[in-house]
Amino acid sequence: ELQQKVEETELLKMELQMLETERVRLSLVEEKLVDVLQLLQQLRDLNISKRALGKILLSTLESCCDPQPGKAHLFEVLDTLYHELSACELLHSQPLEQAQRRQSLSNPLVISC
């Protein structure tokens, strides 16, 4: 009976470790998603065209077209999208203080359609 309790304890420890690993992964995905949403908000405030935004999205999807099965692909797509959006010339062509003022005046996570 003691051996059975030890085995159950080990199984619970392994499950707990797996849950903690998943929590960390989800936390990283959430952070990257927030970053992407903030960049999209900034670009929306700068009146980026739908065509330009579509090109950025297609470029991202093309660069991630050979997905490896598993959960890491989602993070890879978000990370690539973040880099594509942050490289947008429109973000770099505005004065820095204007960008900071716009960001501080509005909630960066609210995107209306």
Side-chain angles (χ1 to χ4, degrees):
E1 190 175 309
L2 185 61
Q3 180 64 26
Q4 184 181 1
K5 293 290 184 187
V6 168
E7 289 173 3
E8 287 177 10
T9 304
E10 288 301 316
L11 280 173
L12 288 172
K13 284 181 182 177
M14 287 174 40
E15 284 185 41
L16 184 62
Q17 186 176 8
M18 288 172 36
L19 286 172
E20 180 63 19
T21 301
E22 184 67 7
R23 187 195 65 75
V24 169
R25 186 191 73 79
L26 288 173
S27 178
L28 291 172
V29 168
E30 180 184 26
E31 288 175 20
K32 190 56 71 172
L33 184 58
V34 168
D35 292 343
V36 166
L37 290 173
Q38 287 174 338
L39 284 173
L40 286 170
Q41 178 69 43
Q42 289 176 10
L43 289 170
R44 188 194 74 167
D45 291 344
L46 294 171
N47 295 322
I48 188 171
S49 72
K50 291 178 183 178
R51 180 182 209 110
L53 195 55
K55 285 181 180 181
I56 291 171
L57 183 58
L58 287 175
S59 173
T60 298
L61 294 175
E62 286 174 7
S63 66
C64 299
C65 66
D66 292 328
Q68 303 298 326
K71 300 171 184 171
H73 182 64
L74 174 64
F75 186 81
E76 177 189 353
V77 171
L78 283 173
D79 191 50
T80 303
L81 181 58
Y82 173 80
H83 290 295
E84 292 280 340
L85 290 169
S86 63
C88 183
E89 291 178 15
L90 195 56
L91 284 174
H92 302 289
S93 65
Q94 67 172 340
L96 182 60
E97 62 190 49
Q98 182 183 10
Q100 290 173 341
R101 186 172 22 130
R102 278 191 178 151
Q103 190 174 9
S104 67
L105 290 177
S106 65
N107 182 347
L109 299 180
V110 177
I111 299 177
S112 62
C113 297

